[in-house]
Amino acid sequence: MDKDTGTTYATAAQRGLLESRRRRRRPRARDWVVGIAAGSLMALIFGHGLVPEAQGAALVIESFLPWLGLVVVALLIEALLSRAWTGSIPAAAALVSWCLVFLPIMATGAGPASAAVASGETGSGWSVVTQNLRAGNPDASEAVEKLITSGADVVVLQELTGPTLERISPLMDRTFAYRQVSGTVGVWSRFPLSQGRPLALGLGWSRAMSMQLESPDGPVQLYAVHLPSVRPGKVGNRNSGLTKLSGIVEADPSPRLLVVGDFNAATTDRSFGPLLATLDDARSGFGFTWPASLPATRPDHILFRGFTSSGASVITTPGTDHLAAMAWLQPGAVRPTVSLNR
């Protein structure tokens, strides 16, 4: 019988090597875990508006949404260190997704306004600053001194109690010729203020007001606001206030308009969307303002129409639980005035 010399067989060692290579190419359990986690993070970045508000999950996620970037980076590093090569692909995709959303904000940069003033690197135009003083702040006088030193032309304050107002008024009135106060909200300005009236946005006392500001660029309708506070699972009053405010702003025909204060909402909050549909947010970088000891979100905003922002920053003030938010404004494209009497 002829001998078959054309057939060879793999040795046991070779078969083991081939099998191990096939096993390495197949996704392992950790690849699936990393992939599912990365997919969930991408879903939150792009679809956080679909998270149910029940139990306050939406409030927490939307208030601190930028911090998902740290989770994404940690997930990608873990995938690489554990050699979960298949899982590292969706983790990298999640990082790209975060960058697409938040890098344009980070690219503008942010720094303390006090340092900017000292170095002469402030923006052009005139400036607005907003500060939640914290009710009962024993250092309220020192806090407003910091705001005065910043060179702001318009100062909007929240949580003004009677004793606090009595203490800070002499300091503020020496620098600012005009003021309007309603309830726990006050505005001091170097430019004339008139037509002040309170706004009802959902609480039993006044925490919002409107007025006309005669700026160097012409009349400006100014809204100074402090929206109702929020807690996980308790956002109804805040949301109702934002809805009312959005309706007022949308109906306002003023070509130049400012809405300034403590909104108790980040710009990533779904309830904040209607305001951003008609107004721009003056900020530089993330510009986090709360809590003051370790800022992680930004509930304080300077929203505008009919201007451009030439600079923005934050200021640390004593005794408060918010950093102050500051912005420099100069004339920009104005929205055509729309008559409401049709």
Side-chain angles (χ1 to χ4, degrees), residues 10 72 74 126 231 303:
V72 172
W126 52 278
R231 298 290 186 276
L303 306 180

Side-chain angles (χ1 to χ4, degrees), residues 180-199:
Q180 295 276 346
V181 177
S182 179
T184 56
V185 173
V187 178
W188 278 259
S189 172
R190 301 180 194 272
F191 315 128
L193 299 171
S194 62
Q195 303 176 33
R197 62 184 181 88
L199 295 178

Side-chain angles (χ1 to χ4, degrees), residues 64 67 288-297 321 323:
F64 303 99
W67 294 98
F288 297 139
T289 59
W290 184 88
S293 57
L294 187 64
T297 188
D321 54 350
L323 302 183

Side-chain angles (χ1 to χ4, degrees), residues 102-188:
F102 293 109
L103 271 188
I105 298 174
M106 290 182 62
T108 60
S114 54
V117 170
S119 62
E121 296 177 355
T122 58
S124 58
W126 52 278
S127 55
V128 182
V129 66
T130 177
Q131 172 75 77
N132 183 321
L133 276 179
R134 189 173 67 86
N137 180 358
D139 301 316
S141 297
E142 290 78 4
V144 298
E145 284 279 14
K146 290 287 293 289
L147 303 181
I148 293 171
T149 303
S150 74
D153 298 299
V154 179
V155 177
V156 180
L157 300 178
Q158 304 90 48
E159 295 200 12
L160 279 175
T161 61
T164 298
L165 180 61
E166 187 176 348
R167 288 204 312 274
I168 70 169
S169 288
L171 295 171
M172 298 294 284
D173 293 344
R174 281 201 298 266
T175 301
F176 303 97
Y178 306 93
R179 72 165 168 169
Q180 295 276 346
V181 177
S182 179
T184 56
V185 173
V187 178
W188 278 259

Side-chain angles (χ1 to χ4, degrees), residues 53-60 63 159 207 226-239 262 264 269 290 321-322:
E53 289 192 348
Q55 306 304 317
L59 174 66
V60 174
S63 295
E159 295 200 12
R207 285 170 48 132
H226 185 192
L227 274 294
S229 299
V230 292
R231 298 290 186 276
K234 296 181 180 179
V235 297
N237 286 340
R238 194 280 314 270
N239 290 351
D262 178 1
N264 275 306
D269 194 299
W290 184 88
D321 54 350
H322 290 242

Side-chain angles (χ1 to χ4, degrees), residues 31-315:
D31 289 296
W32 287 106
V33 171
V34 171
I36 292 171
S40 300
L41 290 170
M42 282 191 287
L44 285 178
I45 291 170
F46 292 116
H48 56 86
L50 300 177
V51 177
E53 289 192 348
Q55 306 304 317
L59 174 66
V60 174
I61 290 171
E62 292 180 331
S63 295
F64 303 99
L65 195 65
W67 294 98
L68 285 183
L70 294 181
V71 181
V72 172
V73 170
L75 184 66
L76 180 57
I77 292 174
E78 170 61 24
L80 295 175
L81 291 179
S82 62
R83 297 184 179 182
W85 308 122
T86 303
S88 65
I89 296 173
L95 181 59
V96 171
S97 300
W98 185 92
C99 291
L100 288 174
V101 174
F102 293 109
L103 271 188
I105 298 174
M106 290 182 62
T108 60
S114 54
V117 170
S119 62
E121 296 177 355
T122 58
S124 58
W126 52 278
S127 55
V128 182
V129 66
T130 177
Q131 172 75 77
N132 183 321
L133 276 179
R134 189 173 67 86
N137 180 358
D139 301 316
S141 297
E142 290 78 4
V144 298
E145 284 279 14
K146 290 287 293 289
L147 303 181
I148 293 171
T149 303
S150 74
D153 298 299
V154 179
V155 177
V156 180
L157 300 178
Q158 304 90 48
E159 295 200 12
L160 279 175
T161 61
T164 298
L165 180 61
E166 187 176 348
R167 288 204 312 274
I168 70 169
S169 288
L171 295 171
M172 298 294 284
D173 293 344
R174 281 201 298 266
T175 301
F176 303 97
Y178 306 93
R179 72 165 168 169
Q180 295 276 346
V181 177
S182 179
T184 56
V185 173
V187 178
W188 278 259
S189 172
R190 301 180 194 272
F191 315 128
L193 299 171
S194 62
Q195 303 176 33
R197 62 184 181 88
L199 295 178
L201 296 181
L203 290 176
W205 69 96
S206 177
R207 285 170 48 132
M209 62 187 305
S210 68
M211 67 205 70
Q212 183 164 295
L213 167 72
E214 294 296 336
S215 79
D217 306 313
V220 179
Q221 189 65 30
L222 170 62
Y223 295 91
V225 303
H226 185 192
L227 274 294
S229 299
V230 292
R231 298 290 186 276
K234 296 181 180 179
V235 297
N237 286 340
R238 194 280 314 270
N239 290 351
S240 176
L242 281 172
T243 299
K244 292 177 182 178
L245 180 61
S246 298
I248 292 170
V249 170
E250 186 176 358
D252 193 321
S254 304
R256 288 197 170 96
L257 185 146
L258 285 172
V259 187
V260 182
D262 178 1
F263 293 74
N264 275 306
T267 53
T268 45
D269 194 299
R270 67 194 67 185
S271 298
F272 207 81
L275 281 173
L276 293 180
T278 57
L279 302 171
D280 293 315
D281 186 17
R283 65 191 295 175
S284 187
F286 288 131
F288 297 139
T289 59
W290 184 88
S293 57
L294 187 64
T297 188
R298 182 182 172 97
D300 307 280
H301 304 282
I302 300 171
L303 306 180
F304 63 89
R305 181 172 73 210
F307 295 97
T308 60
S309 175
S310 60
S313 198
V314 296
I315 304 172

